[in-house]
Structures are given as structure tokens and as C-alpha cells.
């Protein structure tokens, strides 16, 4: 039992190591779409990532089901997990909210959704660059001009590259 408590204490202490290497960053993201990213760190651990881009959703083997502009906000907890050779590696986990529009169907479809986000971020200590890779599962609601248009489980794997300052 003492070994388990010691291990939990070590993990909790490691999770509280500051991940803050910068205050702001701006760059690009690519996944099931492409867009611009802005990230700010409110504290040593709390971050807000805002994105605006072009979203695509695959439709059961028939190609792209729909595509359109979307805005996404990810609020996350971030902590450093490794450091060395000019790279600081951090993990992050949090939630996301998205709003957008697609040209699917005759009237188009509005998209709103919620989901999670979990990933890794590598900050270069000798250059103002950060790379991130994350997985974002979510649930989206679709709205047409006549009201509710359906819902779907969506997800994306994303790669971000940002200039930090």
C-alpha cells in the first residue's frame, strides 16, 4: 500500500510541474481540415486554444460527407512531463466547443458540438516553436433551415505548429 501511495504522490507532483513556456502562440493546424490556431496560457497549467478553419467529415466510404468553415475552442489543463535535448514535452487534456456551417444539402447545415481533447505538445527551448498532436472525440448537432437536422459522433487527430511569444 505504501508503494502505491508513493507512486500516486510522484505522479501528482510530476503533474504539477509548470508547463508554461510562453504566454501566446499563433500558427496552423491540420487534421480533418486545416485552419489557424491561437493559444494562450492563463496560468502555469490552464490554456485556451482557439481555431478557425475548414472542417471535413467523412461519410461512410462515399467521400467527404460535408465540409465548411468551423470555429473551435479548447480549454485544457497542461503539465510538463519530460524535458531534455532542447525540447520540453507537455501533456494536456480538456474540453472543446465548436460552431460552424457546411454546404451539405440544399439549405446547408449549421454545426454545433462539444467534446474532449487529449494530446502532447513539444516546445523547442532554443527556438520560439511549439508542435502539438492531439485526439479530439466529440458529439455534433446538425441544424438545417427547418430545424434539427441530426447528430453525429465526430473525432479528429490534429497536428499543430505555432510560433510562441
Amino acid at each position: 500500500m505504501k508503494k502505491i501511495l508513493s507512486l500516486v504522490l510522484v505522479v501528482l507532483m510530476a503533474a504539477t510541474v509548470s508547463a508554461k513556456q510562453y504566454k501566446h502562440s499563433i500558427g496552423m493546424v491540420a487534421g480533418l481540415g486545416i485552419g489557424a490556431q491561437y493559444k494562450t496560457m492563463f496560468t502555469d497549467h490552464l490554456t485556451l486554444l482557439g481555431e478557425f478553419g475548414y472542417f471535413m467529415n467523412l461519410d461512410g466510404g462515399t467521400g467527404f460527407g460535408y465540409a465548411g468553415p468551423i470555429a473551435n475552442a479548447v480549454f485544457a489543463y497542461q503539465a510538463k512531463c519530460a524535458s531534455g535535448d532542447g525540447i520540453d514535452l507537455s501533456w494536456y487534456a480538456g474540453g472543446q466547443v465548436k460552431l460552424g456551417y457546411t454546404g451539405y444539402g440544399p439549405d446547408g447545415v449549421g454545426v454545433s458540438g462539444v467534446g474532449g481533447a487529449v494530446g502532447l505538445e513539444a516546445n523547442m527551448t532554443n527556438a520560439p516553436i511549439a508542435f502539438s498532436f492531439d485526439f479530439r472525440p466529440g458529439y455534433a448537432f446538425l441544424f438545417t433551415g427547418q430545424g434539427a437536422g441530426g447528430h453525429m459522433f465526430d473525432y479528429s487527430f490534429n497536428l499543430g505548429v505555432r510560433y510562441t511569444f
Side-chain angles (χ1 to χ4, degrees), residues 30-150:
L32 284 179
I34 189 163
Q37 279 188 332
Y38 168 76
K39 183 175 182 178
T40 186
M41 298 189 82
F42 295 114
T43 69
D44 288 348
H45 298 287
L46 297 179
T47 67
L48 177 63
L49 175 69
E51 297 172 332
F52 183 76
Y54 196 75
F55 173 77
M56 295 169 275
N57 182 49
L58 297 177
D59 182 20
T62 62
F64 291 113
Y66 56 84
I70 194 159
N72 191 36
V74 178
F75 186 70
Y77 178 88
Q78 182 170 330
K80 190 185 304 183
C81 57
S83 185
D85 294 328
I87 299 173
D88 287 334
L89 187 65
S90 300
W91 63 269
Y92 57 92
Q96 67 172 330
V97 177
K98 63 182 115 188
L99 290 172
Y101 177 80
T102 70
Y104 181 74
D107 299 328
V109 175
V111 178
S112 66
V114 295
V118 62
L120 293 172
E121 181 174 279
N123 296 304
M124 305 298 112
T125 57
N126 298 326
I129 302 291
F131 298 94
S132 61
F133 178 75
D134 61 32
F135 173 62
R136 299 183 196 166
Y139 192 77
F141 301 95
L142 309 174
F143 300 96
T144 66
Q146 290 81 32

